[in-house]
Amino acid sequence: MFGRDIGIDLGTANILVYVRGKGIVIHEPAVVAVDVNTQKICAIGEAARDMIGRTPGNIRAIRPLNEGVIADFQITEDILTFFIKKVAGRGVFRPRVMICVPSGITTVEKRAVLEAASLAGAKEVYLITEPIAAAIGCGLDIAAPSGNMVVDIGGGTTDIAVISLGGEVVSESLRIGGSHFEEGIVRYVKRVYNLAIGDRTAEDIKTSIASAFPSPDQTVTIRGRDLVTGLPATLEISSVDIYPALEEPINSIVDAIRAVLEVTPPELAADIVNKGMSLTGGGALLEGMARLIQDQTGVPVTLAEDPLSCVARGTGEILDQLDKVSPSSLVASYTKAR
């Protein structure tokens, strides 16, 4: 009654904050604008994202998380402090905070997240792996003695897990995600069309015409700088033109899913064939992604409802159970630091 429990999906591309009893209250890009002279933060979230590629020399728009883990400790601490104070206020009582992390996170990376959250004002910090949170957010009964498979394609990582009895039986964390689609588009357009484009343009291409099953009818007009003349230029490209830029990361994700299925115990594999696998995360919104995975694996694939918020919703459901379930009973799912 004296504090608020907060769940944070600390992603490479987006940060979602869940407050117990209120739901998801913050959904912001994981971008920070910093003054390089004073090291002070100028903007966080959507306001900072609008500055990418448009800042003067003394301001730098950066993503402090890279491939799902902390790349800039101080900036990440400042972000967590900002969001925790925004939702919990400046009262006497410090909130309990649960943060989602990739399943393949190392001990050092885990400690960095725990310390950053503690310094940001959390009373207790819990870490939960993204596949567990995503599965709960999808409405799966992970406590049952039955296999559930989740593929969470985030901004910087893809987490694949087969879950049974509340734990990950087989899992794989691939450091490839939606941001790698955008990086591939930037490099491809530069190499093939001699056109320099920014990250925002690459993101627009990804969301508008990028597809796992490209069509020549899907086109978009993009603008950038011609590398030959040095002048601004306009180019119209289709979904087919841009597909080679996405082929490598898409195939890597599919190969990782197949690798997990190959080492899944037979009984759990039978459950997965019957139930199918759940696809979550922003990368799951790539057109045709679910169909491609189903074609390549032979396993039915279900795209989760609102895949962007599945992990945050799952975190919220676990927060609701913290007072009913002892932490030791969920030790396979999360770690705790005081």
Side-chain angles (χ1 to χ4, degrees):
M1 62 180 288
F2 297 112
R4 288 179 174 173
D5 292 336
I6 300 172
I8 301 177
D9 178 7
L10 196 63
T12 303
N14 296 285
I15 295 177
L16 285 79
V17 180
Y18 179 102
V19 177
R20 186 175 177 180
K22 289 188 174 183
I24 297 173
V25 296
I26 293 175
H27 185 169
E28 296 271 4
V31 184
V32 180
V34 182
D35 189 317
V36 295
N37 297 326
T38 63
Q39 292 302 307
K40 288 186 178 180
I41 293 178
C42 304
I44 293 177
E46 193 66 46
R49 180 175 173 269
D50 291 338
M51 297 181 184
I52 293 178
R54 300 185 174 101
T55 57
N58 65 313
I59 296 178
R60 191 162 51 106
I62 61 172
R63 295 185 183 272
L65 291 112
N66 182 33
E67 296 180 344
V69 297
I70 292 176
D72 189 312
F73 182 86
Q74 184 59 50
I75 298 298
T76 303
E77 180 192 330
D78 292 340
I79 286 180
L80 290 173
T81 302
F82 173 80
F83 286 128
I84 289 173
K85 287 182 177 178
K86 186 172 182 178
V87 299
R90 299 179 180 271
V92 176
F93 301 99
R94 304 167 73 190
R96 295 185 297 183
V97 177
M98 179 172 286
I99 300 177
C100 299
V101 294
S103 58
I105 192 171
T106 66
T107 303
V108 174
E109 292 165 344
K110 189 181 295 184
R111 179 55 55 186
V113 176
L114 291 170
E115 289 183 1
S118 296
L119 292 171
K123 177 178 68 174
E124 296 177 356
V125 186
Y126 301 83
L127 298 187
I128 184 165
T129 59
E130 288 177 355
I132 293 285
I136 295 172
C138 288
L140 302 179
D141 183 8
I142 66 169
S146 177
N148 296 288
M149 186 168 182
V150 176
V151 179
D152 180 58
I153 307 175
T157 60
T158 295
D159 288 287
I160 308 157
V162 176
I163 302 167
S164 179
L165 292 171
E168 297 176 8
V169 180
V170 183
S171 66
E172 177 70 31
S173 185
L174 192 67
R175 301 217 164 175
I176 292 177
S179 61
H180 296 83
F181 295 160
E182 296 163 20
E183 292 170 6
I185 290 171
V186 171
R187 291 195 301 268
Y188 183 78
V189 172
K190 183 177 182 179
R191 185 179 73 251
V192 176
Y193 298 103
N194 288 318
L195 187 71
I197 60 173
D199 294 338
R200 290 293 300 274
T201 302
E203 185 178 357
D204 291 340
I205 294 172
K206 182 184 74 172
T207 55
S208 60
I209 65 168
S211 174
F213 291 92
S215 166
D217 297 329
Q218 295 175 298
T219 63
V220 67
T221 300
I222 59 174
R223 295 169 179 82
R225 177 168 50 84
D226 191 306
L227 294 174
V228 178
T229 65
L231 300 175
T234 301
L235 174 69
E236 184 176 18
I237 57 173
S238 71
S239 178
V240 174
D241 296 332
I242 212 66
Y243 178 72
L246 308 172
E247 192 170 12
E248 184 177 346
I250 287 175
N251 288 340
S252 296
I253 291 171
V254 172
D255 289 345
I257 294 171
R258 292 170 65 100
V260 168
L261 287 169
E262 287 170 2
V263 295
T264 299
E267 292 298 332
L268 294 180
D271 293 335
I272 293 168
V273 170
N274 289 331
K275 296 179 181 178
M277 69 178 80
S278 297
L279 196 59
T280 69
L285 294 172
L286 182 73
E287 186 177 345
M289 193 68 178
R291 176 184 158 196
L292 176 69
I293 294 173
Q294 182 168 316
D295 288 352
Q296 293 292 319
T297 62
V299 177
V301 178
T302 302
L303 181 63
E305 182 182 350
D306 192 9
L308 275 171
S309 65
C310 274
V311 172
R313 293 200 312 268
T315 304
E317 291 192 31
I318 298 170
L319 280 172
D320 293 340
Q321 300 297 320
L322 274 183
D323 296 327
K324 303 175 185 177
V325 182
S326 65
S328 59
S329 67
L330 289 174
V331 71
S333 302
Y334 68 78
T335 57
K336 174 185 174 185
R338 289 185 180 275

